[in-house]
Amino acid sequence: MTTSLGAAPAHDALTFIAKPTPQLRTTVVAQEALLPSTEFAALLSCIQSVFDKFTAKLMEFPPGVERATALHEMMDQEVGVVAALPLSCRMGCSGCCHYEVEITHDEAEVLCAIVQNGFPIDRHRLNEQAERERTDAAWGRLGSPANRCVFLGQAGACQTYQHRPAICRKHLVTSLPSLCTTPGGSVLPVHVIMAEILLSAATSLEGATLGSLPKMLRAALEES
Ligand code: SF4
């Protein structure tokens, strides 16, 4: 579920977005190859318009918990358009909760507050995960207990579901859940371009940062 937003756009057409998600970049590159130039220009104009609208909406809220909550509500609304698809994501199929999830600084504040308010997490596991580099081979061990998100309950349910990060909300598949933890499994993700533009807007806000959940949460806990 890693998004790995780069510091600079990888595609010239997206220079109006400081940190587009990789999926947004991929979509734009694919559409550029498919569409006549006028239609591609119209698509870019549409993306910019939506990006500006999302940015303006997010800026109505102060950084931190309030802006994270607004982002989550907006993300649920955008992702809701695919609710009629045969999505296979269910409570208990938690393969995607064993990857290095990325969160915004605002979301780190939300999760930090939950822990400070008494939610018990495995601090040892959090520290071990926070010490890893993104390229650490440990993250590639699909379904490994050492990779479990510290908010994942024993029954495979997210224990902070209402406050889960935006990336968790938009990560949906239509393939068998078992494929999510099968090396080389043919996972069929569902991409919602509006969700990608929204996350790009959230991470492109001035002062916004995005990073691994373990690293961001540990840092927030240390600062608090
Ligand atoms: S926050 Fe919840 S949904 Fe997201 S990875 Fe952790 S357990 Fe899974």
Side-chain angles (χ1 to χ4, degrees):
M1 219 192 299
T2 299
T3 293
S4 301
L5 304 184
H11 193 276
D12 288 346
L14 288 175
T15 50
F16 57 89
I17 300 181
K19 297 173 191 168
T21 67
Q23 187 53 46
L24 183 57
R25 291 177 192 149
T26 301
T27 300
V28 167
V29 169
Q31 292 304 310
E32 186 174 29
L34 288 172
L35 295 175
S37 59
T38 52
E39 289 183 29
F40 181 64
L43 173 67
L44 286 181
S45 174
C46 186
I47 290 174
Q48 184 159 13
S49 171
V50 172
F51 175 79
D52 289 345
K53 185 190 80 171
F54 284 150
T55 300
K57 183 69 181 170
L58 288 167
M59 287 178 66
E60 290 177 13
F61 301 90
V65 173
E66 280 188 56
R67 194 164 68 186
T69 303
L71 170 63
H72 294 163
E73 289 174 359
M74 292 163 72
M75 184 60 80
D76 285 349
Q77 192 170 344
E78 299 307 332
V79 169
V81 300
V82 296
L85 293 179
L87 302 171
S88 51
C89 307
R90 299 279 183 277
M91 185 187 294
C93 65
S94 55
C96 60
C97 302
H98 293 72
Y99 295 104
E100 188 183 32
V101 172
E102 288 186 307
I103 61 174
T104 66
H105 189 270
D106 293 336
E107 292 176 322
E109 287 192 24
V110 172
L111 298 178
C112 178
I114 289 169
V115 175
Q116 285 179 317
N117 286 334
F119 182 84
I121 60 168
D122 184 333
R123 298 279 187 132
H124 177 72
R125 180 159 17 110
L126 180 75
N127 280 330
E128 277 197 343
Q129 293 178 353
E131 289 299 320
R132 293 180 188 167
E133 297 297 327
R134 178 173 306 288
T135 52
D136 195 310
W139 284 120
R141 295 186 193 112
L142 303 180
S144 163
N147 291 353
R148 289 176 70 88
C149 172
V150 292
F151 293 101
L152 184 61
Q154 286 307 314
C158 176
Q159 302 299 292
T160 185
Y161 190 77
Q162 286 197 341
H163 304 288
R164 71 197 186 287
I167 283 181
C168 305
R169 292 167 195 260
K170 77 176 185 69
H171 188 81
L172 302 166
V173 302
T174 54
S175 43
L176 288 174
S178 58
L179 292 175
C180 293
T181 50
T182 303
S186 300
V187 176
L188 298 173
V190 175
H191 297 303
V192 180
I193 190 168
M194 297 290 273
E196 301 301 329
I197 301 171
L198 173 58
L199 187 57
S200 300
T203 54
S204 297
L205 292 172
E206 190 177 349
T209 55
L210 187 91
S212 109
L213 186 156
K215 285 183 170 61
M216 298 281 277
L217 176 57
R218 185 175 69 168
L221 288 167
E222 287 173 350
E223 285 169 14
S224 61

